[in-house]
Amino acid sequence: MVQGVLAAKKKSARVIPVINPATEEAVGEIPDQGAEEVGRAVARAQKAWDGWRKNTAHERAKMLEEVARRIKERSQSLARLLTLEGGKPLRENVDEMGWSASCFEYYAGLIRAERGRVIPSIEASQLNFVVHEPYGVVGAIVPWNYPILLMAWKLAPALAAGNAVVLKPAEQTPLSTLEFRSIFDCLPKGTVEIVTGRGETAGEALVRHPGVSLIAFTGSLETGRRIAKICSESVKKTHMELGGKDAFVVCEDSDLDVAAKAVAWAAFLNAGQVCTSTERVYVHRSVHDKFLERLAAFSRKLIVGDGLDPKTDVGPMIGESYRRKIEAHVADAVKRGAKVLCGGRRPAALKRGFYYEPTVLAGVDHSMAVMREETFGPVCPVMPYKTFDEALALVNDSPYGLGANLYTHDARKVKRFFEEVQAGTIWVNDPLTDNDAGPFGGFKATGGGRELGEEGLREFQQAKHVHWDFEQQAKPWWYPYAPTAKSYDYSAPKKSGRAR
Ligand code: NAD
């Protein structure tokens, strides 16, 4: 009997409830898998890989297009499930499905046009070329804020390149990802395996597995460091997409009504839980007060609520611990002299759910956590600057370097901004827009990985140089080293096969 109770307890400890952050109610549960289950998934992926990589690029492209078609076909139901588990407003999740399908289409097109490179040979009897080969089994680990899109950004290029993938979704948002088992069944069995569980269990088992050749990770800096440390022991390749603290600079020539809406969009989209959320705003002091009035007035009108309600602009935080971090950042700023112009609290009318009001802070500086650490919530601190030089220095005063925004029509400022700002994406007058064809990733502590574009494909390929001589002739610089033996002169191509 006691043994039975213990077994039941053990079993329940290996199940994770999935909580709707808008209601705090469970909407499902998933197994917390460990090394054994992950090992089986990796073994299936390894078996599938050999067949998958031998498909022609054309065949792989056709299957990726079928994945895209299926995502589009099921986008409404997938988006709804994602709102239930992740809280993001439904229309944003419908967009997420569209962008994810488009990513599979993009890489299907890119792999069809994929080419190696023939390079100059050092002798006329030779052919030298470079081909791009897959790594094998890729371990893909993604967070909860854009679970399907970030999955697509890894899986589409990894599969296009000929890798098999074992995917671990975040424990907060696994249900919509698990629906992809029936989407990926248009691929050969085992090509994509999905494992579920916590970071410390399923995640680490995947990272440590010797059969996984590359870990593609999107998540926090802290977890990224831990994974990089584990992978360094076996010199396993990692691809890191970590945190951000994106800045937004508003110049004195900006249309302030448009700039205020742009900042609100960039700061409050997905309740500020975007890696490229605007988390620091610098406004020229000549327009600072007018800009703040407009931003605060606009932000006060945003409707906070359940993402299933079509009127909702801003949904909940993913969980209580994330909301507490936001509250701690705002409290620290206020203690150091910041002023709350709107928000700065939990909405009184919403008794359940991890909500926080869109918040605009004035009077901030770089001594405050809200200007230095990732907040990951709907908090928009605004600071004045005097000169463009000062604005550039403030933007670069961050350990992160994911994206940066500029509002101006002054071409000289645009040039200085994109040349001097240490960030992977620069948006001028158009915040947060993605383009499948352009690389996305960060400088500095954001990790240096690149997704999307040709760069995103190269992350999942390793270059191989083939050096092929059509003749079999002994070379004069081989053993034995005799006084007549010549060393090779690489500076000029030689005639075919002639001993010199
Ligand atoms: P997190 O690092 O806690 O978790 C991310 C994923 O890693 C989850 O699937 C989690 O289960 C897993 N994980 C956690 N510990 C692990 C371990 N020890 N070994 C293996 N896997 C482990 O991050 P989070 O709080 O869920 O996500 C938010 C973070 O993600 C923010 O910092 C945000 O900036 C970042 N992010 C970055 C990008 C980008 O492209 N740079 C995009 C989206 C989110």
Side-chain angles (χ1 to χ4, degrees):
M1 177 65 189
V2 175
Q3 261 185 353
V5 171
L6 283 179
K9 273 198 172 155
K10 207 172 161 194
K11 188 166 171 257
S12 66
R14 299 206 62 204
V15 167
I16 306 170
V18 179
I19 306 294
N20 179 347
T23 61
E24 301 180 41
E25 282 161 10
V27 287
E29 60 177 32
I30 49 154
D32 188 14
Q33 296 181 323
E36 215 175 288
E37 293 98 329
V38 169
R40 283 201 289 271
V42 173
R44 288 193 293 271
Q46 279 179 311
K47 203 166 151 209
W49 175 56
D50 201 42
W52 179 247
R53 77 190 171 99
K54 286 177 187 157
N55 280 306
T56 62
H58 187 72
E59 285 163 339
R60 290 201 296 270
K62 278 204 287 198
M63 286 185 260
L64 295 186
E65 278 163 354
E66 174 59 13
V67 169
R69 196 193 63 72
R70 290 175 173 209
I71 298 174
K72 284 191 227 168
E73 194 176 76
R74 290 171 56 181
S75 72
Q76 291 293 333
S77 62
L78 287 166
R80 196 183 147 76
L81 187 54
L82 188 49
T83 295
L84 280 176
E85 61 181 350
K88 193 173 342 116
L90 186 60
R91 62 169 178 266
E92 291 181 31
N93 282 334
V94 172
D95 286 345
E96 179 167 349
M97 298 311 148
W99 302 331
S100 306
S102 136
C103 180
F104 278 96
E105 285 168 342
Y106 171 76
Y107 280 108
L110 195 66
I111 201 69
R112 275 205 180 91
E114 167 69 340
R115 71 262 172 236
R117 197 162 101 242
V118 177
I119 58 173
S121 297
I122 51 174
E123 292 204 320
S125 63
Q126 294 166 350
L127 178 63
N128 289 65
F129 53 94
V130 180
V131 290
H132 298 118
E133 297 208 342
Y135 278 88
V137 176
V138 168
I141 302 176
V142 295
W144 45 265
N145 64 338
Y146 286 90
I148 306 303
L149 184 67
L150 297 175
M151 169 191 74
W153 286 10
K154 295 187 192 324
L155 264 62
L159 294 170
N163 300 278
V165 181
V166 179
L167 167 71
K168 195 205 84 66
E171 50 274 43
Q172 297 91 339
T173 53
L175 303 179
S176 48
T177 306
L178 286 171
E179 288 293 301
F180 275 74
R181 283 193 174 142
S182 57
I183 288 183
F184 290 135
D185 67 10
C186 63
L187 308 175
K189 204 163 184 288
T191 309
V192 177
E193 288 285 326
I194 303 175
V195 294
T196 59
R198 298 181 205 282
E200 316 84 71
T201 50
E204 275 207 37
L206 189 58
V207 170
R208 290 185 187 279
H209 199 291
V212 174
S213 310
L214 186 164
I215 291 291
F217 172 73
T218 299
S220 63
L221 172 59
E222 196 188 357
T223 309
R225 275 200 189 112
R226 176 155 181 79
I227 291 175
K229 198 167 164 212
I230 297 170
C231 289
S232 72
E233 285 160 20
S234 58
V235 202
K236 187 176 290 186
K237 186 176 160 74
T238 56
H239 168 124
M240 292 286 170
E241 301 283 349
L242 310 179
K245 188 76 192 167
D246 282 13
F248 198 129
V249 174
V250 178
C251 295
E252 55 274 43
D253 68 331
S254 302
D255 176 327
L256 295 185
D257 286 323
V258 178
K261 282 186 189 164
V263 165
W265 155 259
F268 303 138
L269 177 73
N270 192 10
Q273 301 169 113
V274 187
C275 52
T276 49
S277 285
T278 286
E279 296 212 354
R280 309 176 278 149
V281 183
Y282 305 103
V283 184
H284 190 266
R285 65 175 180 173
S286 63
V287 294
H288 172 263
D289 293 354
K290 282 189 207 144
F291 171 84
L292 263 182
E293 267 169 39
R294 286 165 170 79
L295 175 63
F298 184 75
S299 305
R300 277 184 212 110
K301 285 192 225 149
L302 296 175
I303 297 171
V304 179
D306 189 324
L308 288 179
D309 183 338
K311 290 197 290 297
T312 293
D313 295 308
V314 179
M317 307 300 98
I318 190 71
E320 184 56 23
S321 63
Y322 291 84
R323 180 163 62 172
R324 288 220 187 97
K325 182 177 181 193
I326 295 161
E327 288 174 330
H329 278 194
V330 173
D332 169 76
V334 170
K335 197 175 85 192
R336 292 169 193 271
K339 230 174 119 191
V340 178
L341 297 191
C342 73
R345 60 182 179 201
R346 300 176 179 204
L350 296 166
K351 303 289 176 221
R352 304 295 302 269
F354 309 117
Y355 295 101
Y356 195 79
E357 288 185 1
T359 299
V360 176
L361 298 176
V364 294
D365 62 46
H366 277 215
S367 72
M368 301 172 183
V370 79
M371 295 299 274
R372 304 199 61 82
E373 295 167 25
E374 193 177 41
T375 307
F376 227 55
V379 179
C380 185
V382 182
M383 181 174 168
Y385 69 85
K386 283 188 206 144
T387 64
F388 198 62
D389 280 341
E390 187 193 352
L392 289 171
L394 287 165
V395 171
N396 281 334
D397 180 22
S398 168
Y400 296 108
L402 187 50
N405 288 278
L406 176 66
Y407 248 62
T408 188
H409 285 303
D410 183 334
R412 283 162 304 186
K413 286 187 178 140
V414 174
K415 182 171 183 292
R416 284 199 65 202
F417 197 81
F418 76 70
E419 283 178 352
E420 292 180 33
V421 167
Q422 294 153 3
T425 304
I426 303 294
W427 284 284
V428 182
N429 301 331
D430 187 15
L432 264 55
T433 308
D434 291 326
N435 174 347
D436 290 331
F440 178 93
F443 284 31
K444 303 194 278 187
T446 298
R450 289 293 180 277
E451 303 195 291
L452 300 181
E454 284 187 42
E455 292 83 352
L457 180 66
R458 294 284 173 255
E459 295 272 356
F460 296 100
Q461 295 175 316
Q462 39 195 346
K464 183 180 276 179
H465 172 194
V466 180
H467 180 111
W468 178 2
D469 199 314
F470 302 118
E471 297 183 19
Q472 287 187 6
Q473 292 201 3
K475 308 287 174 170
W477 54 90
W478 289 0
Y479 292 120
Y481 285 131
T484 53
K486 293 180 179 169
S487 59
Y488 194 82
D489 172 11
Y490 286 92
S491 62
K494 299 295 178 297
K495 284 190 181 163
S496 176
R498 303 259 156 72
R500 291 152 304 135

